[in-house]
């Protein structure tokens, strides 16, 4: 018998189940596609932003102004000089003063100054180089610097200050410059015997002489300064002296040169280069010519230089120069000279020559006939003071 009520649920057909499954799968695929697209979009957006940044970087760099390379500060003339040498003792010496235009020069610390300029200026006389402007203004001898002084620098530099005076001031000084002439030396207070006894100065007297010169403010001119003084271009104070020795005898090296070194007094040793070619015994000894081989008698009994022709004299003096490397000044053997000797010296390039004639060098003195102050045995300190002050 039939029963009435709620009809039993019907199972969906297989086709319906498939449709529902397909629709679910399709929906899932769409959802995944939407999610994937969003992720991709975000990635593309980020990548695009990165590309924009990357593309923008070169544009920013390309548009920036390059930093300029700094221009090196030009070296001063003193720095240029020091840069040109690797000598740690090198010193750049600069020159200052009214009307001074001399370029700086290199010198060697501890050595004596060499070749300092002597400026010229119309209507004025150069009064020397000084350590400070105040020394220059006062013409202070203790502050005057020349080739008798060692080079002393700070940080490889030193400045010298020039001074000027009028020709009237220079003439008013009326300077008379003594050139002292020594020969041989003895350690015996009683002196040496024989006909050359007078030539041998007692070394005790020589020590007293050098001590006096070194400690009482004497100025020690160089030969180029003496030449400029004779010409009226350079002021030298009356309290000046030049010390020389003739012959370069062994006693000069053994006894006198150590005294010179002790007191640091600039001296000149006139050397006969055919017989001696010793190096300077200390920095304060200048070697200059007493001829090469003309320190002997000629046919007329006088010094050989007065017997030779000009070309012969030139040849001898050139041989001497080859040993000493300096001209400037020579000493006539025995003090003998004549016009031929003077012309031979001129042609050989010598500017000055010292005789044995007594006297003092003044403005206008004949440069090839310089007088001297002879020092003989027995002349103690009082005798020297009477001669040079």
């Amino acid at each position: 018998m039939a029963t009435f009520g709620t009809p039993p649920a019907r199972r969906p057909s297989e086709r319906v189940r498939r449709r529902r499954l397909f629709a679910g799968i399709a929906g899932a695929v769409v959802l995944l596609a939407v999610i994937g697209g969003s992720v991709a979009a975000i990635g593309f957006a980020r990548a695009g932003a990165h590309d924009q940044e990357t593309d923008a970087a070169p544009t920013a760099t390309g548009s920036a102004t390059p930093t300029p390379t700094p221009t090196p500060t030009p070296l001063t003339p003193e720095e240029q000089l020091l840069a040109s040498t690797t000598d740690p003792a090198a010193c750049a010496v600069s020159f200052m003063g009214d009307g001074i235009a001399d370029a700086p020069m290199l010198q060697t610390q501890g050595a004596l100054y060499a070749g300092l300029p002597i400026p010229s200026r119309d209507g004025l006389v150069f009064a020397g180089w000084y350590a400070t402007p105040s020394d220059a203004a006062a013409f202070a001898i203790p502050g005057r610097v020349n080739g008798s002084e060692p080079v002393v620098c700070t940080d490889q530099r030193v400045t010298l200050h020039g001074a000027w005076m009028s020709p009237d001031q220079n003439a008013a000084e009326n300077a008379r410059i003594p050139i002292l002439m020594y020969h041989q030396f003895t350690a015996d207070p009683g002196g040496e015997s024989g006909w050359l006894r007078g030539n041998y100065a007692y070394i005790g007297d020589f020590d007293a002489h050098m001590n006096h010169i070194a400690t009482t403010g004497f100025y020690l001119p160089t030969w180029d300064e003496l030449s400029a003084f004779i010409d009226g271009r350079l002021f030298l104070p009356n309290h000046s002296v030049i010390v020389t020795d003739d012959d370069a005898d062994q006693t000069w090296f053994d006894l006198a040169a150590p005294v010179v070194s002790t007191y640091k007094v600039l001296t000149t040793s006139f050397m006969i280069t055919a017989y001696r070619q010793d190096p300077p015994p200390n920095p304060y000894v200048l070697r200059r010519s007493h001829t090469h081989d003309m320190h002997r008698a000629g046919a007329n009994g006088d010094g050989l230089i007065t017997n030779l022709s000009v070309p012969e004299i030139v040849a001898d003096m050139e041989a001497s120069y080859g040993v000493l490397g300096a001209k400037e000044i020579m000493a006539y053997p025995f003090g003998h000279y004549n016009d031929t000797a003077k012309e031979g010296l001129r042609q050989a390039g010598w500017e000055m020559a010292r005789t044995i004639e007594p006297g003092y060098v003044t403005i206008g003195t004949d440069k090839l006939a310089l007088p001297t102050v002879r020092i003989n045995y027995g002349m103690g300190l009082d005798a020297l003071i009477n001669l040079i002050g």
Side-chain angles (χ1 to χ4, degrees):
M1 177 169 141
T3 303
F4 294 96
T6 302
R10 297 178 62 183
R11 293 182 179 179
S13 66
E14 184 69 21
R15 177 177 296 181
V16 172
R17 288 197 303 271
R18 288 179 181 174
R19 286 179 179 173
R20 291 175 179 173
L21 177 61
F22 178 80
I25 293 172
V29 169
V30 170
L31 179 60
L32 289 173
V34 170
I35 295 171
S38 299
V39 172
I42 293 171
F44 288 141
R46 291 178 177 175
H50 175 72
D51 289 345
Q52 289 176 359
E53 292 175 0
T54 304
D55 292 342
T59 303
T61 302
S63 62
T65 302
T67 302
T69 302
T71 302
T73 303
L75 297 178
T76 66
E78 294 83 359
E79 290 170 336
Q80 293 177 28
L81 283 175
L82 293 172
S84 70
T85 178
T86 58
D87 182 2
C91 178
V93 181
S94 301
F95 306 99
M96 293 189 66
D98 185 29
I100 302 296
D102 295 270
M105 63 191 305
L106 279 182
Q107 298 277 346
T108 303
Q109 295 188 63
L112 301 186
Y113 279 99
L116 290 177
I118 301 176
S120 295
R121 192 174 175 191
D122 289 344
L124 292 174
V125 175
F126 187 60
W129 297 112
Y130 297 84
T132 67
S134 58
D135 287 334
F139 309 133
I141 295 177
R144 188 163 172 176
V145 178
N146 73 341
S148 69
E149 301 283 342
V151 179
V152 179
C153 294
T154 301
D155 296 328
Q156 293 190 282
R157 292 171 176 81
V158 68
T159 299
L160 301 182
H161 303 268
W164 302 93
M165 65 170 51
S166 70
D168 288 344
Q169 287 175 290
N170 186 42
E173 179 74 6
N174 193 28
R176 301 164 68 245
I177 312 301
I179 302 177
L180 304 184
M181 178 179 62
Y182 294 87
H183 284 87
Q184 291 82 26
F185 299 85
T186 178
D188 184 353
E192 301 295 319
S193 60
W195 68 279
L196 286 177
R197 175 181 172 81
N199 272 7
Y200 281 83
Y202 171 50
I203 195 61
D205 289 335
F206 183 71
D207 186 288
H209 294 175
M210 296 303 103
N211 178 55
H212 175 70
I213 290 170
T215 59
T216 58
F218 274 89
Y219 184 67
L220 303 170
T222 57
W223 293 111
D224 60 335
E225 287 184 310
L226 187 71
S227 176
F229 164 76
I230 293 170
D231 292 338
R233 297 187 296 109
L234 177 75
F235 164 73
L236 289 181
N238 243 320
H239 209 53
S240 298
V241 65
I242 296 175
V243 180
T244 72
D245 165 77
D246 279 15
D247 306 332
D249 185 76
Q250 190 61 42
T251 58
W252 161 255
F253 290 95
D254 295 343
L255 298 176
V259 174
V260 167
S261 181
T262 296
Y263 294 110
K264 298 178 173 56
V265 172
L266 185 69
T267 60
T268 296
S269 178
F270 290 114
M271 183 175 288
I272 310 164
T273 52
Y275 308 133
R276 299 206 73 138
Q277 300 184 3
D278 308 62
N282 63 65
Y284 293 92
V285 175
L286 306 177
R287 301 185 309 162
R288 295 299 184 264
S289 180
H290 208 17
T291 75
H292 180 65
D293 194 18
M294 293 189 289
H295 197 285
R296 47 198 173 98
N300 65 355
D302 288 340
L304 183 61
I305 193 171
T306 65
N307 291 255
L308 299 180
S309 66
V310 167
E312 290 171 320
I313 294 169
V314 169
D316 182 276
M317 294 304 296
E318 287 294 346
S320 182
Y321 170 71
V323 174
L324 302 175
K327 294 188 176 181
E328 290 183 319
I329 179 77
M330 63 87 69
Y332 292 114
F334 317 114
H336 298 161
Y337 68 98
N338 56 18
D339 289 342
T340 302
K342 292 168 73 172
E343 182 59 28
L345 293 179
R346 286 192 193 94
Q347 293 193 22
W350 261 260
E351 183 182 17
M352 294 183 291
R354 201 219 65 207
T355 70
I356 61 170
E357 296 167 358
Y360 299 82
V361 178
T362 60
I363 296 172
T365 294
D366 183 348
K367 292 185 182 182
L368 288 173
L370 301 180
T372 192
V373 174
R374 182 185 178 95
I375 304 298
N376 294 319
Y377 171 76
M379 294 177 67
L381 180 57
D382 288 343
L384 180 77
I385 292 173
N386 288 335
L387 290 169
I388 70 172

